[in-house]
Amino acid sequence: MTYTDATIPEIDQAMHQAAQDFYYYKNLSPAVRRQFMHAIASGLEANIEDLVATAMEETHLGYDRLKGEVARTCWQLRSYADAAFAGRHLDIRIDTALPDRKPAPRPDIRKMMVPLGPVVVFGSSNFPFAYSTAGGDTACALAAGCPVIVKAHPAHAETSEKVAKIISEAASANGLPKGVFAHIHGADFDIGGALVSHPLVKAVGFTGSTSGGKALFDLAAQRKEPIPVFSEMGSTNPVFLLPGKLKTSAKEVAKWYSGSITLSVGQFCTNPGLLLGVASAELTEFATELSKLMAQLPSAPMLHPGIAKAYAQKREAALSQKGVETLAVGVLPVNSDGSAAPVGGSGVAAEGIPTLAKTSGANFLANPLLHQEVFGPYSLLIECADLGEVKEVAAHLEGQLTSTLIATEADMLDHADLVALVQEHCGRIIFNGVPTGVEVVASMQHGGPYPATTDSRFTSVGEDGIRRFVRPVAFQNYPNALLPEALKNENAGGYWRLVNGEWSNKAI
Ligand code: NAP
């Protein structure tokens, strides 16, 4: 099915509706808001087979992977709704009046977070459920009390349409006005631009490419009223292979990484795109084993022709750089009659070919092209002359979602300066594991210094993601009866509040 792009008057109407209904949704009882979000999750579960079948057709992702993604999406909706109901994102601070303070009395001041207003959400193609129409950004914004306008990803427009219908049904079943949720189709960048530029929008959640995220961020900064754009973008997720651990576990670590690099045809923002170690017998053992494993893995269809084309071009560009050696190429795609299918070059491979390449630390440092994300089942092994060079490479890396240390505890202590450097560049550090697989828990940090995201102070995974769509307001000397419920003396919701410097969930 094809969907026509929204027109500018349609966008304008959706924005006015969202702005008008914002006040209703903002002031809605937290219990009803939670019920609405739980109803979306139940709606997704009730339609799971149809949703997964549609997404399989549109994305080439497998049944189990997509079914798991719907489950994750439902968990996000319910857990973020519950977190907001508990008021954890409200960050309540109360300092009661001190009328007798000298030399001047202190007024009563009470602060809490309030929703920002209508939020535009751009989903990514590689998570048709968990980072799309009813995905993490939508769940966070709805939990915060903000209406949401989703721009459907054209690579899974029908899946998006079906999910949007479930959200709208959950809204009307809970008596919510139309403006709480809108769904816009748009395969043209101008539609995205018009959404971000609209004066009634107060924030943007984006998951996707660095070029897309930065373009929308720049557009928002140029508005008459600049607004925050929370872009979660690309990352090369460096893996530091330290000598002590590699000595005992080179083959085992190679096995972890053949799986991680090629999981979902490498189409994860946490895909390990750079592997760094010091030239040694152990690093050679690791490289030999990883090459052997990756050479046995099949090529597989990528999400959509645009991503496959970008992978073919970026992969070829990287492999053709001076000083880059191809260590392993997976099983090449074949046509249905068994003949070899065309790949790469001027032709566009619709399939992602597992690929491992190698270069020296000096060559990597000298060639910025090698620092870029190659989105797909690709990784570059950087063989450094010594640990000093590993540190130099680490110091020159851009901001990352994750960094991984393959190390013993003694390695970590021996190379504490490298470990400290690694922490400066990323949002999550993994000790002896793989970066793929992001737990949806309150302690998760999915975000990092630019260009991994446009605001490293926030996460897009876990309930703290709600904080992106709120802002603080302080009420000074307000009559108790007129304060928002969460700030009243009675504290009927039992919220945890910092009252005169002490945490309390009691009445004042
Ligand atoms: P994408 O091409 O950037 O698309 C994301 C959305 O943004 C689409 O709706 C797209 O519309 C729109 N868009 C992109 N550039 C735009 C522009 N200049 N103006 C207006 N709208 C624009 O990303 P993708 O292909 O879906 O996803 C792959 C990338 O996402 C990878 O780089 C991956 O690392 C990253 N990713 C990051 C995370 C994270 O959490 N950090 C998670 C998943 C994926 P059109 O399709 O119409 O172009």
Side-chain angles (χ1 to χ4, degrees):
M1 189 158 332
T2 51
Y3 296 94
T4 44
D5 285 7
T7 61
I8 298 299
E10 281 166 352
I11 290 175
D12 195 45
Q13 205 209 329
M15 292 303 178
H16 277 94
Q17 187 88 55
Q20 182 189 310
D21 293 340
F22 168 51
Y23 295 99
Y24 177 91
Y25 190 60
K26 171 186 178 178
N27 295 317
L28 190 67
S29 110
V32 178
R33 201 179 294 141
R34 178 172 68 165
Q35 195 173 293
F36 161 51
M37 292 180 65
H38 278 246
I40 302 172
S42 302
L44 294 174
E45 283 164 352
N47 292 281
I48 191 163
E49 293 302 329
D50 180 47
L51 292 172
V52 167
T54 307
M56 280 174 78
E57 240 172 71
E58 291 190 308
T59 66
H60 303 118
L61 294 171
Y63 178 82
D64 291 344
R65 148 76 206 268
L66 288 167
K67 218 168 163 190
E69 202 185 310
V70 175
R72 172 181 165 170
T73 309
C74 294
W75 163 251
Q76 287 174 173
L77 284 158
R78 290 190 176 111
S79 62
Y80 299 176
D82 294 351
F85 178 74
R88 286 200 283 275
H89 67 297
L90 295 177
D91 267 352
I92 302 169
R93 272 94 175 99
I94 297 177
D95 292 290
T96 52
L98 296 176
D100 299 329
R101 192 182 68 172
K102 298 283 182 259
R106 184 176 83 181
D108 182 289
I109 305 179
R110 304 181 181 213
K111 182 167 75 170
M112 67 179 285
M113 295 290 180
V114 300
L116 280 179
V119 172
V120 167
V121 170
F122 290 80
S124 71
S125 60
N126 59 339
F127 282 100
F129 296 110
Y131 271 83
S132 214
T133 318
D137 287 353
T138 298
C140 286
L142 290 178
C146 299
V148 170
I149 302 98
V150 166
K151 209 280 282 166
H153 199 296
H156 54 256
E158 192 166 354
T159 306
S160 192
E161 184 73 23
K162 288 183 175 181
V163 172
K165 189 163 168 274
I166 289 167
I167 300 174
S168 297
E169 282 168 3
S172 71
N174 282 280
L176 305 187
K178 232 173 139 228
V180 168
F181 177 77
H183 185 242
I184 302 274
H185 287 282
D188 193 308
F189 282 178
D190 288 351
I191 302 294
L195 289 168
V196 173
S197 305
H198 199 284
L200 294 175
V201 174
K202 295 297 178 194
V204 176
F206 171 94
T207 307
S209 61
T210 306
S211 56
K214 181 65 165 56
L216 297 175
F217 178 85
D218 290 345
L219 204 56
Q222 286 155 16
R223 290 168 41 125
K224 186 169 171 225
E225 177 201 348
I227 53 169
V229 175
F230 300 101
S231 292
E232 303 292 325
M233 304 178 286
S235 192
T236 50
N237 304 297
V239 179
F240 296 86
L241 303 153
L242 297 188
K245 182 70 179 174
L246 221 48
K247 251 192 190 95
T248 56
S249 316
K251 282 195 170 164
E252 186 193 352
V253 175
K255 199 160 171 220
W256 300 346
Y257 275 86
S258 66
S260 180
I261 294 165
T262 55
L263 193 65
S264 281
V265 204
Q267 299 164 120
F268 281 128
C269 48
T270 49
N271 198 55
L274 296 176
L275 310 166
L276 293 103
V278 175
S280 60
E282 299 81 55
L283 190 69
T284 303
E285 187 190 7
F286 168 80
T288 307
E289 183 68 12
L290 183 56
S291 303
K292 191 182 93 190
L293 294 169
M294 283 187 61
Q296 292 163 7
L297 294 172
S299 302
M302 297 191 77
L303 286 158
H304 59 84
I307 279 206
K309 182 177 175 185
Y311 179 60
Q313 287 172 345
K314 288 192 170 168
R315 171 184 179 274
E316 191 178 80
L319 295 181
S320 62
Q321 296 302 300
K322 191 167 149 260
V324 174
E325 182 190 343
T326 305
L327 289 186
V329 171
V331 180
L332 295 179
V334 287
N335 293 317
S336 51
D337 64 3
S339 61
V343 290
S346 51
V348 173
E351 302 209 355
I353 306 163
T355 305
L356 180 67
K358 184 175 107 171
T359 196
S360 66
N363 199 42
F364 180 81
L365 285 165
N367 189 344
L369 184 137
L370 297 175
H371 297 222
Q372 289 173 15
E373 179 190 39
V374 179
F375 191 65
Y378 169 91
S379 197
L380 177 67
L381 176 66
I382 305 169
E383 193 178 69
C384 296
D386 50 33
L387 270 157
E389 196 170 67
V390 173
K391 263 187 268 172
E392 208 183 333
V393 171
H396 282 86
L397 289 176
E398 293 185 308
Q400 304 288 340
L401 292 171
T402 75
S403 289
T404 303
L405 293 156
I406 300 294
T408 60
E409 286 189 28
D411 280 331
M412 302 279 278
L413 294 172
D414 290 349
H415 308 294
D417 46 354
L418 172 65
V419 175
L421 196 56
V422 165
Q423 193 185 325
E424 289 304 306
H425 291 261
C426 70
R428 177 164 61 108
I429 308 180
I430 299 130
F431 178 67
N432 288 334
V434 293
T436 41
V438 180
E439 287 292 336
V440 183
V441 286
S443 51
M444 177 50 69
Q445 177 57 26
H446 191 67
Y450 185 84
T453 73
T454 47
D455 197 334
S456 64
R457 295 169 299 170
F458 295 93
T459 177
S460 63
V461 176
E463 65 180 59
D464 282 350
I466 300 170
R467 292 165 192 264
R468 293 172 296 169
F469 304 117
V470 292
R471 68 183 177 88
V473 174
F475 297 80
Q476 187 165 326
N477 277 344
Y478 240 59
N480 186 59
L482 300 182
L483 281 167
E485 284 301 316
L487 296 182
K488 285 185 173 155
N489 288 341
E490 296 81 344
N491 194 16
Y495 297 119
W496 281 99
R497 317 188 292 185
L498 191 69
V499 181
N500 296 324
E502 305 240 327
W503 287 106
S504 162
N505 65 349
K506 305 273 181 310
I508 294 172

